[in-house]
Amino acid sequence: MTRIFRLLSLGFALAVLLGVLLLPLAPARADAGRWLDSPSYAELSGAIASLRPTAGAPGKSLSPDQQKRYDDLLALQAAIARSDDRSQVDNRSSHSIGVYTRYKKAPANSPAEFVVLAPGHETDDDFDLIGLYLPAGVALEWGEDHGVGAAGAPRVARVLEGQRLRVSDPAPVEPAAEATPAPAYRLDLPSFAVVGSSDQVAELPALSQDELDAHPETAPVD
């Protein structure tokens, strides 16, 4: 009887193992690639194609700046191709940041709303992130020695559909005794474009970083 019981137990264990092995493997990110047909992805692909050497011009080479731009766009393309959710921003910096968001059910051509996101918070996933506000005097950094310098007027760093962005503080550097480091945002993904105005945003306020830090949080958060 004991032998029969052992055989039955072994047969049951083998059946369970076989059933597990035959289960269909579910993809880790079922919605990955949902932005491949979006207008902004087409714009991104066009920018990449304009830099890529073609068979008709085998001798074409890129300047160092063009090569940086090309590498940045490829990294951005790969990230968006893996994305399974709408664009959002996670503020891991020590500063409040200005962002432009649009509710997911709002018409695509409606202007985005300017809101302020406090440190340690992430925008609500019911809202699309349209752009990151750059106050005058604030630079952007990403990757190794990639970025956009500070300017004398506020600007917007465009965010593409499906782009999940994390903002943090730059790595600390030893400043010169007579100089104060300029403020900067460090991004985990390259910036597609930094513009002085956009038809997607309703306003471009003139706020300094200090004024942003003192501003109450108005962004929808999770």
Side-chain angles (χ1 to χ4, degrees), residues 4-20:
I4 294 174
F5 179 78
R6 287 177 178 172
L7 289 173
L8 289 173
S9 298
L10 178 60
F12 178 77
L14 289 173
V16 171
L17 177 61
L18 182 61
V20 170

Side-chain angles (χ1 to χ4, degrees), residues 57-138:
K60 178 183 177 182
S61 60
L62 301 178
S63 69
D65 286 344
Q66 287 176 321
Q67 186 64 53
K68 273 189 177 183
R69 169 74 170 165
Y70 185 63
D71 294 342
D72 287 343
L73 294 180
L74 289 179
L76 193 53
Q77 183 184 52
I80 293 175
R82 294 191 301 267
S83 178
D84 62 351
D85 204 348
R86 55 182 48 87
S87 54
Q88 291 173 263
V89 63
D90 182 9
N91 184 10
R92 299 189 187 181
S93 77
S94 59
H95 294 290
S96 289
I97 59 175
V99 295
Y100 292 91
T101 63
R102 182 190 295 127
Y103 185 56
K104 64 182 180 181
K105 295 183 179 179
N109 59 353
S110 60
E113 180 184 5
F114 176 79
V115 293
V116 176
L117 183 69
H121 290 177
E122 183 177 9
T123 53
D124 192 325
D125 60 5
D126 283 336
F127 292 78
D128 284 300
L129 176 66
I130 305 302
L132 171 66
Y133 176 78
L134 290 183
V138 174

